[in-house]
Amino acid sequence: MAKTIEQFEESLFTENDGSKFSNIKDKLIKSFSPSDREKVIEIFIQYSKNGKMLHWREFLLTDIINLVKEDETNYSDFFEWTITKPELTYWGIDGLTKTKGIKAYKTLIELAQNESLPTDVRAKAIKSIATHSKQPFDRDLPQDPGYWKIENFRINELLDWKSKEYKLGSGYKEPQTHPSLKNPKTELEKAVSKLDNKLKIERSKQQDLSNPSDWLAIADKNKIEAIEQKWKLPENYLLFLKNYSPINVFIDNEKFFQGLNLYGADDLIKSQNGYSFNSMTSEILSDWPPNYIVIADAGADPYCIDISAITNNDAPIYTSMHGNGKWEFEKYADSFVDFLKDIIE
């Protein structure tokens, strides 16, 4: 016989094991949120206020926020309460913004200005305002406000915006992509298009256009010019950088158990640091083959294109493990196009 919502509620409040609590919580959402969403929210709210596992009081806030609808003001009082509780303030900020909308801005600006609060809480208030108002207070900053520094806070901009009655912004545009991603013809284009199809899945899960991730985009011309002045790259790889430059692309699959960072035009030159040169001393590292350009890394293990072996507009890819005292390279792929095909399999 199926459990009732009251039985799930009792199980939730009496459970002492965190893993079991998580399973009960997930089943409660799956079984009852479609038909009795408000009751599920109320159960979670009561646990956030009175539950015995303190860390789950905080964790449940994300579920409550997901279940609550935009501008559902009957839950505003709860989120007003959460921001008075130090252990709940961080996530409560998003709930307050979701339920009160523009009416939450004054409170959030006060939180952002409050120097007695933790840095991440103040940053979260700014991030929540930026996301809701579509104003660029979070531009060029990490997606996670927990990594922001106080000098990143644009308090003067916030106060100026407040004086102009919280004008709605235009948000961020998606990175510009090359038409061939949708209509690939060459071998390179087909490989890149397959990679982009996989990245689309990741983008659909979560995307913050203030700091986009998992994109293959048309590169800045100045970045390409700087690269061309530094190296003579094979045509296939240069086209890749020009037309499909990776933006925060991280390949996470069984083949790369530490994940693979695929460099874009913005990263390529600076990412040679620690391999071919030391940026702290401006020293060229003599044990590094000068013809190897690092185009990606997996847990700091480099993947390099050999620009001394260019044939048919492409070049082989070599890799080595780091931390062994010396570099011992082995061929990973016969060409850059083969490398792309390999990482998307």
Side-chain angles (χ1 to χ4, degrees):
M1 184 176 179
K3 290 176 66 175
T4 66
I5 193 169
E6 288 78 15
Q7 288 173 319
F8 272 106
E9 180 179 7
E10 182 181 358
S11 297
L12 206 66
F13 276 84
T14 56
E15 184 56 63
N16 294 311
D17 182 274
S19 179
K20 291 179 180 178
F21 181 98
S22 180
N23 288 333
I24 295 168
K25 181 263 298 183
D26 289 342
K27 289 178 181 178
L28 181 57
I29 294 173
K30 183 177 180 180
S31 300
F32 294 99
S33 63
S35 59
D36 208 350
R37 177 182 63 90
E38 292 181 352
K39 177 61 176 176
V40 175
I41 292 173
E42 184 57 33
I43 291 170
F44 289 170
I45 285 176
Q46 290 307 314
Y47 196 97
S48 291
K49 290 181 176 181
N50 306 307
K52 57 184 176 181
M53 286 195 287
L54 297 181
H55 62 287
W56 270 107
R57 290 189 187 183
E58 177 184 358
F59 294 162
L60 279 176
L61 285 184
T62 57
D63 292 298
I64 296 170
I65 292 168
N66 286 334
L67 289 167
V68 166
K69 297 179 180 179
E70 293 284 344
D71 302 321
E72 206 161 22
T73 56
N74 52 308
Y75 296 111
S76 296
D77 287 347
F78 168 68
F79 289 112
E80 291 277 11
W81 173 79
T82 63
I83 65 170
T84 69
K85 303 296 179 182
E87 69 277 12
L88 302 178
T89 304
Y90 187 90
W91 291 113
I93 285 168
D94 282 343
L96 190 64
T97 309
K98 189 172 185 179
T99 56
K100 291 191 70 173
I102 190 171
K103 293 180 180 179
Y105 293 167
K106 181 177 181 293
T107 300
L108 297 186
I109 291 175
E110 289 173 355
L111 292 176
Q113 291 180 281
N114 189 339
E115 295 181 0
S116 68
L117 292 176
T119 300
D120 64 335
V121 170
R122 298 174 65 193
K124 181 66 171 178
I126 299 172
K127 179 67 176 181
S128 193
I129 290 171
T131 301
H132 189 271
S133 68
K134 299 184 179 180
Q135 289 285 357
F137 304 125
D138 56 349
R139 62 188 180 276
D140 303 320
L141 295 176
Q143 293 183 21
D144 184 348
Y147 292 103
W148 293 15
K149 299 177 181 179
I150 291 176
E151 55 264 33
N152 297 145
F153 296 177
R154 297 182 166 101
I155 299 296
N156 288 337
E157 286 186 27
L158 279 169
L159 294 176
D160 181 63
W161 173 68
K162 177 183 176 182
S163 71
K164 296 175 181 176
E165 300 183 347
Y166 308 126
K167 182 181 178 181
L168 183 66
S170 57
Y172 297 96
K173 294 181 180 179
E174 292 185 351
Q176 184 181 3
T177 57
H178 198 272
S180 60
L181 286 175
K182 295 182 179 179
N183 186 28
K185 295 179 181 178
T186 68
E187 189 179 16
L188 172 65
E189 291 172 354
K190 290 176 182 178
V192 174
S193 182
K194 286 183 179 180
L195 173 59
D196 188 58
N197 286 335
K198 289 185 176 291
L199 296 177
K200 282 180 183 176
I201 297 173
E202 299 304 315
R203 295 199 296 267
S204 68
K205 295 176 182 176
Q206 185 175 6
Q207 188 62 211
D208 183 346
L209 290 176
S210 70
N211 191 343
S213 59
D214 296 305
W215 287 88
L216 301 176
I218 296 173
D220 181 279
K221 290 183 180 180
N222 293 328
K223 297 290 185 180
I224 295 297
E225 287 176 3
I227 290 169
E228 289 183 302
Q229 289 174 8
K230 192 169 183 64
W231 302 296
K232 180 176 175 54
L233 299 175
E235 185 65 20
N236 274 342
Y237 183 55
L238 186 59
L239 279 174
F240 174 78
L241 290 176
K242 287 180 177 178
N243 297 336
Y244 323 105
S245 182
I247 300 177
N248 294 324
V249 170
F250 185 76
I251 309 297
D252 186 10
N253 57 30
E254 293 181 0
K255 191 170 294 184
F256 301 101
F257 68 94
Q258 292 180 296
L260 180 79
N261 293 296
L262 191 59
Y263 303 160
D266 284 357
D267 317 310
L268 188 65
I269 293 177
K270 63 184 178 183
S271 293
Q272 306 309 304
N273 180 38
Y275 298 109
S276 61
F277 75 95
N278 184 329
S279 63
M280 299 294 292
T281 63
S282 299
E283 176 189 6
I284 302 297
L285 302 179
S286 59
D287 64 339
W288 184 265
N291 50 302
Y292 280 11
I293 312 303
V294 186
I295 64 170
D297 78 85
D301 293 345
Y303 288 79
C304 317
I305 193 162
D306 183 359
I307 60 173
S308 70
I310 299 174
T311 56
N312 298 321
N313 299 318
D314 214 325
I317 307 299
Y318 287 83
T319 188
S320 177
M321 293 183 64
H322 77 289
N324 289 337
K326 64 177 182 178
W327 296 110
E328 296 181 350
F329 290 95
E330 60 181 27
K331 183 183 285 189
Y332 187 84
D334 289 332
S335 67
F336 175 69
V337 171
D338 286 342
F339 175 70
L340 285 180
K341 291 178 180 178
D342 178 77
I343 66 177
I344 59 181
E345 287 181 355

